[in-house]
Amino acid sequence: MVEADNVSMKYNRCKQYALEDVSFSISRGEFVFIVGSSGAGKSTLLKLIIREIKPTAGLMKVFGKDISRLPRRRLPSLRRSIGMVFQDFRLIDDRTVSENVAFALMVTGASRRDIRKKVPHVLGLVGLQEKAKERVCDLSGGEQQRVGLARALVNRPSIIMADEPTGNLDPGTALDIMNLLRSINLSGTTVLVATHNREIVDRFKKRVIYLDQGKLIGDEQKGIYTHVR
Amino acid sequence: MFVSGLGYIIGETFKGLYRNRWMCITSTGVVVVTLLMLGLFMLVNLNIDHITETVKEQVEIVVYIEDQAAQEAVNDLYKQLSEHRQVEEVTYVSSEEHMRRLQMQLGGMLEGYDSALDNPLLASYEIKTVVPESVVELAEEFETYPAVSTVFYGQGYVENLFAVTGVLQYVGMALMLGLAVTAIFLISHTIKLTVMMRRKEIVIMKYVGASNWFIRWPFLMEGLLMGLVGAVVPLVILYYLYQYSIEWVAGNNLYFLSLLPAEPVIRELAKYLIPLGTGLGIIGSTFSIGRFLRV
């Protein structure tokens, strides 16, 4: 589903590589943690997968296709197949919970009927049905992240990618969000979580890809964070 | 029914304007004030042009015919003058007509004077030229024609008039261009600011898989509407302001200020302000949104 073959990435005006010769393969339905300290290259890796940036060298394949060669007009289709969850939630503050979720459906040209059906369903999945009409700025951090998850889920993507999804949350709420991601994964969706939350990684015992200063230094099934170094 | 298409664009345009109403009102306000200033200046400039053209049109050449000239020579002179390419109109004024005009100007001073018996005034041709600025050159040429006694065109006064009107027109044009450039700069930056305030929304749209045109259209429509409102409001204000000025000028007997009629002038302004407002709205939005779409 996601394949990196000697992928390197160097940003303009930077001397060091953000990623260097990284290779791995992620299959359909896997739950993978991408771990490492700040600046290890986790976010760069996610940006490469969603084709926000192109690799400087190497081959990055998503859904079996070299996404560096993907024409710009095909990018929306790629991104609709990948649901993104962000540390800072990236919600539109002056809109309601429903509107934020419906937004992701609208861009695909979904019908009103479809939107009316899918939005309450996905809000039910993340436990926010009761808050559908509230503005997101009135919600707690955990609730806002649930809205972010609902938005990522509503188009039924094949992959969910979360960049530090628990970074702004207290431990209890962080665990709730991770449990939600686990249940999403159990329904067959591939889940990639970039994090440096040691507790969460150790608790879930899933596949862990370790990055350090742009290099892949480990890739373990049922790995734990403490194995780094 | 699908949400995409025209319905979506129109819906999102108005929702966007409503959600960001304060920013949109501020931006439109900047467009209104800028175009009002530009429109006001254009209005003044058009009228200065009109007044100077009216004054220039009054400039004419008077060719006095020699007293002893034979009728045939006088007829030849008329033919020569009226067939000249730079002459628009030739009017014959007899010596009796000159005397009558003089008597009217002087009032009772020439009372009892029998002009039929002893009229020293010469008959003349009054000539309107195609281009008022050519009077000096033409007057010199007409002086060389046979049967011409003297040529008068308001020597000295005409040269000064053309110098002053020329400077006025150039200064007006330069100031108007300066103001237009300022308006373009100010409006496009205000629209850019409106788009920048919503960059988060644009980036989120890109992440959830919106196509560039899907994002761009509502912003373009918003830019167009802001530009359109920003141009129409000053036109309405200027129309009433100008109408009032015309009435005030007429009411105060300032007839030398021959102002242009309101409706054609405002129509002329609309030809510039509406494309400028809407064009800047669209172009400002397109350029501003471009860099956020490269995600």
Side-chain angles (χ1 to χ4, degrees):
Chain A
M1 190 151 262
V2 178
E3 212 180 316
D5 188 8
N6 293 108
V7 168
S8 295
M9 177 65 207
K10 196 170 149 187
Y11 290 104
N12 285 343
R13 297 189 212 112
C14 287
K15 283 181 187 169
Q16 276 198 321
Y17 276 94
L19 279 178
E20 201 175 347
D21 277 333
V22 171
S23 297
F24 62 83
S25 176
I26 296 168
S27 308
R28 183 180 296 273
E30 270 195 280
F31 190 119
V32 183
F33 284 113
I34 299 160
V35 303
S37 51
S38 296
K42 306 186 294 290
S43 297
T44 299
L45 190 57
L46 298 189
K47 281 180 184 174
L48 283 167
I49 294 171
I50 205 160
R51 235 300 289 276
E52 190 179 327
I53 48 174
K54 285 184 189 178
T56 317
L59 182 69
M60 177 60 83
K61 277 183 168 181
V62 180
F63 305 123
K65 284 176 189 157
D66 176 4
I67 56 162
S68 297
R69 293 178 174 210
L70 201 68
R72 275 199 163 268
R73 63 188 156 79
R74 301 288 299 276
L75 280 182
S77 156
L78 170 79
R79 287 174 184 172
R80 286 171 201 174
S81 312
I82 303 172
M84 279 293 290
V85 179
F86 304 93
Q87 180 177 1
D88 57 359
F89 321 129
R90 296 202 189 168
L91 302 172
I92 305 170
D93 296 335
D94 61 353
R95 296 195 200 178
T96 65
V97 169
S98 283
E99 284 170 340
N100 266 279
V101 179
F103 192 60
L105 277 170
M106 280 165 72
V107 303
T108 65
S111 69
R112 285 179 204 279
R113 193 199 292 174
D114 216 14
I115 292 172
R116 274 199 292 267
K117 202 174 87 182
K118 284 182 177 169
V119 172
H121 171 72
V122 81
L123 286 179
L125 289 179
V126 298
L128 280 178
Q129 218 159 7
E130 305 293 306
K131 308 233 170 185
K133 290 200 164 74
E134 284 187 32
R135 280 176 187 272
V136 290
C137 53
D138 295 327
L139 303 181
S140 68
E143 286 169 332
Q144 288 194 41
Q145 195 56 293
R146 282 165 188 266
V147 180
L149 249 177
R151 185 184 62 195
L153 273 175
V154 76
N155 278 322
R156 301 176 63 87
S158 307
I159 305 172
I160 291 272
M161 292 205 303
D163 191 5
E164 301 280 5
T166 58
N168 286 348
L169 306 176
D170 63 77
T173 315
L175 195 60
D176 284 347
I177 294 293
M178 289 311 300
N179 281 328
L180 264 170
L181 281 168
R182 181 160 56 185
S183 52
I184 290 163
N185 173 244
L186 287 174
S187 68
T189 308
T190 308
V191 175
L192 268 74
V193 179
T195 185
H196 58 249
N197 189 325
R198 185 180 301 262
E199 233 176 90
I200 294 281
V201 175
D202 290 353
R203 190 181 187 118
F204 276 70
K205 294 194 175 63
K206 296 285 185 185
R207 180 181 169 189
V208 181
I209 291 175
Y210 305 96
L211 292 174
D212 184 40
Q213 292 180 345
K215 291 194 174 93
L216 196 149
I217 56 163
D219 185 349
E220 283 181 33
Q221 295 295 333
K222 295 190 180 176
I224 52 171
Y225 202 106
T226 40
H227 282 177
V228 181
R229 292 194 184 204
Chain B
M1 189 189 130
F2 281 84
V3 179
S4 57
L6 197 64
Y8 164 80
I9 293 164
I10 294 169
E12 277 305 295
T13 301
F14 285 102
K15 275 186 204 164
L17 287 171
Y18 179 74
R19 283 190 196 114
N20 303 284
R21 53 193 173 278
W22 293 114
M23 191 61 208
C24 291
I25 289 169
T26 313
S27 299
T28 311
V30 171
V31 181
V32 167
V33 172
T34 316
L35 292 186
L36 184 67
M37 295 297 289
L38 182 64
L40 196 65
F41 199 82
M42 284 172 84
L43 205 61
V44 171
N45 216 31
L46 278 172
N47 276 290
I48 288 178
D49 269 0
H50 172 67
I51 292 167
T52 53
E53 288 307 318
T54 312
V55 172
K56 278 184 193 173
E57 273 171 22
Q58 288 163 12
V59 172
E60 59 180 17
I61 304 171
V62 184
V63 173
Y64 289 97
I65 304 160
E66 272 179 355
D67 199 16
Q68 310 301 323
Q71 189 55 44
E72 200 181 332
V74 175
N75 292 345
D76 283 350
L77 178 62
Y78 176 77
K79 200 169 172 240
Q80 217 173 348
L81 291 172
S82 56
E83 283 176 0
H84 197 290
R85 276 197 308 179
Q86 292 192 53
V87 170
E88 194 179 284
E89 194 185 321
V90 181
T91 314
Y92 177 74
V93 182
S94 65
S95 57
E96 291 76 23
E97 174 61 18
H98 275 300
M99 179 54 77
R100 199 188 59 77
R101 287 183 189 175
L102 190 65
Q103 280 173 333
M104 274 183 70
Q105 278 175 13
L106 299 176
M109 285 175 74
L110 287 175
E111 212 170 305
Y113 183 80
D114 188 355
S115 60
L117 288 174
D118 188 20
N119 182 355
L121 302 177
L122 296 174
S124 68
Y125 285 118
E126 288 177 354
I127 297 155
K128 281 214 180 297
T129 56
V130 176
V131 183
E133 282 83 354
S134 62
V135 287
V136 180
E137 189 189 315
L138 284 177
E140 279 170 9
E141 186 184 332
F142 296 158
E143 262 182 342
T144 62
Y145 287 6
V148 171
S149 165
T150 48
V151 175
F152 179 78
Y153 63 89
Q155 284 87 336
Y157 159 76
V158 165
E159 284 88 342
N160 286 340
L161 174 77
F162 289 151
V164 170
T165 54
V167 167
L168 267 179
Q169 280 172 328
Y170 279 122
V171 169
M173 191 64 79
L175 283 174
M176 206 162 69
L177 272 175
L179 209 58
V181 170
T182 312
I184 290 170
F185 184 78
L186 212 62
I187 294 169
S188 56
H189 272 76
T190 309
I191 301 277
K192 194 186 264 184
L193 208 67
T194 317
V195 174
M196 280 205 32
M197 295 280 284
R198 291 165 67 188
R199 63 186 181 279
K200 186 180 167 190
E201 202 177 315
I202 298 168
V203 171
I204 293 170
M205 283 171 107
K206 287 291 289 182
Y207 276 121
V208 295
S211 68
N212 286 352
W213 276 107
F214 187 90
I215 300 169
R216 205 179 269 136
W217 270 117
F219 279 94
L220 292 193
M221 295 289 283
E222 282 176 36
L224 184 143
L225 277 178
M226 282 196 278
L228 186 67
V229 173
V232 170
V233 171
L235 284 172
V236 173
I237 296 173
L238 286 172
Y239 177 78
Y240 285 106
L241 202 69
Y242 189 58
Q243 193 79 286
Y244 175 78
S245 307
I246 291 175
E247 282 163 21
W248 186 83
V249 165
N252 286 278
N253 296 326
L254 301 170
Y255 292 114
F256 62 92
L257 279 176
S258 64
L259 297 182
L260 289 160
E263 276 173 29
V265 168
I266 298 298
R267 267 205 297 273
E268 186 67 20
L269 287 193
K271 273 190 216 165
Y272 295 99
L273 296 193
I274 291 178
L276 190 68
T278 51
L280 285 177
I282 294 171
I283 294 166
S285 303
T286 312
F287 279 103
S288 316
I289 204 168
R291 60 189 176 129
F292 300 121
L293 293 179
R294 280 179 225 122
V295 177

